[in-house]
Amino acid sequence: MLFAQLLDRTGTGMWAASSVLFFVFVIGLDAGRLGLLLGAAAVAGIAGSPLAGHLAGRFPVRSLLIACHLLRLATLGSLLFVTRFDVLLPVVAVTYLGDRAAKTLEMLFATRVAGERRATYQALSRSSANAGYALGAGLAAIGLAVGTHEAYQALILANALSFLAAAALVRRTREPRGRGLVTARTADPAAAAAAGATAPATSAVPALPPGRPGPWRDRGYLRFALLDIAMNLDDSILAVGLPLWLVDHTDAPHTLVPAFLVINTVLVVVLQLRVSAKVEEPRQAAAAVVLYGLTMLACCTLLAGTAGAGAWAASIVLLTAAVLATAAELMRSVSSWELAVSLAPEEARASYLGVAGMAQSIQKSAGPLLLTGVVMTAGPAGWLTLGAAVAVLSTVQRRTAVRRLDAMAAPSPCGAASPSGSLAVSIRDLPGSGR
């Protein structure tokens, strides 16, 4: 499964590094149509996570993940022939939708298979993903250096074939027999025992017990998912904020921009497992959220201080800010996933995680607009305000998570689980063997 993710992310890295230039120089899109294309794709990507969660409650996760890989194989392959904008728009939108759905399904699959090694699996997943992105970007650089129409087509074909290889590897990954992502218990255990059952019966198709709210009516979980949008802003700061701030507001050399990606990739690959080892249960994940906020505050404060600094001073501060943003990402990558799983009722985990996955998609759409349209327009004060806001929201997120964990762990008057639908789910609560 991890090797399948490596191949997937290698192809995605090639596409991410070359797609804009492909649309401009090969397809011939102007800036307006390119913005419309990418905006529509981002909106479609937001729908990918809840759609994947909804379908995962009804169909095998592995089959859905294979379908997502094959869907992207078809849409990316079609870019070799599509030139009309009205056809290109839905093709790229479906590609982004499949991409976000695949990432959510990978998380669901890991929740099912990894069991008590969930945090370790997430760390390995993050490391392999970053290695894949770096490898893909390197391969894209070769194609972009050639710069011919055929070179761009070769990059697209290689990306499409990576999805085919990933689908083949996922197909070979075995799912544990009898271990569903969600389990629907019979409402009357005594009746099951009378029928000769020795344990709570399970249905073939996971279902939410009658009377239990789904994620869209669960205000506590929606509050967590909404706050989690702000807990993903490190991504936009690394990809958009740092490069644009360097170019427009500092005297640092433009050649420093690639160093941000190198720092991020190397630190994630080297440190992700160590950071994940510190977060072994939900309350530790909740505490890590506060550390995320404080780290982001420090990062934004440094960026505010680069205005007016000399080239050398600005370079050092920007590189330090990249390190802090990566440290925030390391904490977010383990705390966000762990809390998304732990705060979801076990009986409906697939649909809940689909909703939680929207936070990252929304941030990818709104984060760059927030940075370019508000934060950087306001200058240093904008960075200070952003950092303070994330720090405050991280504290609110921690309180929200701890309060929900307490409610989930509290027994009901009849001695059963709390009304939230399950006991608190720690990393060791899921049976397992081992994105």
Side-chain angles (χ1 to χ4, degrees):
M1 186 65 182
L2 289 172
F3 188 47
Q5 286 183 302
L6 177 66
L7 291 175
D8 181 346
R9 301 305 191 271
T10 299
T12 302
M14 286 189 288
W15 172 247
S18 61
S19 58
V20 171
L21 296 180
F22 170 80
F23 290 133
V24 171
F25 294 118
V26 178
I27 302 297
L29 298 183
D30 56 30
R33 289 194 297 173
L34 178 61
L36 177 60
L37 179 73
L38 297 179
V43 172
I46 293 174
S49 293
L51 178 61
H54 176 75
L55 293 176
R58 291 158 175 77
F59 302 99
V61 174
R62 185 177 64 171
S63 299
L64 291 172
L65 183 54
I66 292 173
C68 280
H69 288 320
L70 296 180
L71 174 65
R72 292 184 292 167
L73 167 66
T75 55
L76 260 296
S78 69
L79 291 181
L80 297 173
F81 314 102
V82 172
T83 56
R84 290 175 47 186
F85 182 74
D86 58 341
V87 179
L88 190 67
L89 191 66
V91 166
V92 176
V94 171
T95 301
Y96 275 67
L97 184 146
D99 182 70
R100 289 307 312 165
K103 287 180 170 59
T104 297
L105 291 168
E106 286 170 352
M107 184 173 71
L108 295 172
F109 191 89
T111 302
R112 176 175 181 179
V113 175
E116 64 183 14
R117 291 193 288 273
R118 191 165 68 228
T120 300
Y121 181 91
Q122 170 70 346
L124 292 171
S125 174
R126 293 284 303 171
S127 298
S128 65
N130 277 271
Y133 283 132
L135 177 59
L139 293 174
I142 298 174
L144 296 177
V146 176
T148 63
H149 185 280
E150 291 75 16
Y152 281 104
Q153 288 186 320
L155 291 174
I156 291 178
L157 182 60
N159 185 17
L161 291 177
S162 74
F163 297 139
L164 180 61
L169 289 173
V170 171
R171 187 176 183 275
R172 295 178 58 186
T173 303
R174 298 182 59 184
E175 297 185 63
R177 184 181 299 275
R179 186 190 306 159
L181 182 65
V182 290
T183 303
R185 296 177 176 82
T186 58
D188 187 357
T198 57
T202 60
S203 62
V205 179
L208 190 65
R212 298 272 172 81
W216 296 108
R217 291 181 293 168
D218 189 333
R219 288 181 295 178
Y221 199 84
L222 287 176
R223 186 181 303 113
F224 160 77
L226 181 63
L227 290 169
D228 207 44
I229 297 173
M231 303 301 110
N232 280 269
L233 280 170
D234 59 276
D235 178 73
S236 289
I237 287 178
L238 274 167
V240 178
L242 282 171
L244 290 183
W245 186 255
L246 180 150
V247 171
D248 295 336
H249 297 272
T250 75
D251 295 326
H254 295 182
T255 54
L256 197 67
V257 171
F260 300 149
L261 176 61
V262 172
I263 288 173
N264 177 258
T265 301
V266 171
L267 289 180
V268 169
V269 171
V270 173
L271 298 177
Q272 187 69 77
L273 275 172
R274 298 182 183 179
V275 173
S276 299
K278 304 295 184 181
V279 181
E280 296 184 344
E281 58 93 22
R283 295 180 189 278
Q284 291 176 332
V289 173
V290 177
L291 292 178
Y292 174 91
L294 293 176
T295 304
M296 287 288 286
L297 175 59
C299 173
C300 292
T301 301
L302 284 178
L303 289 174
T306 58
W312 278 103
S315 298
I316 294 173
V317 173
L318 286 167
L319 291 174
T320 305
V323 172
L324 289 174
T326 301
E329 177 189 343
L330 290 169
M331 288 180 279
R332 181 256 299 170
S333 64
V334 292
S335 62
S336 181
W337 188 29
E338 176 61 30
L339 289 175
V341 175
S342 302
L343 300 180
E346 187 176 359
E347 296 85 352
R349 189 168 291 148
S351 59
Y352 271 71
L353 290 181
V355 171
M358 291 180 64
Q360 188 175 15
S361 300
I362 294 173
Q363 187 283 139
K364 284 183 177 294
S365 300
L369 296 176
L370 172 67
L371 292 178
T372 58
V374 179
V375 174
M376 283 188 274
T377 301
W383 284 115
L384 292 174
T385 302
L386 177 67
V390 173
V392 170
L393 291 176
S394 70
T395 302
V396 176
Q397 180 74 302
R398 177 189 175 277
R399 292 178 179 175
T400 297
V402 170
R403 187 180 301 114
R404 186 173 175 92
L405 288 170
D406 291 340
M408 295 172 74
S412 65
C414 61
S418 68
S420 61
S422 71
L423 295 177
V425 183
S426 72
I427 291 179
R428 294 181 173 81
D429 285 332
L430 296 175
S433 59
R435 155 179 252 195

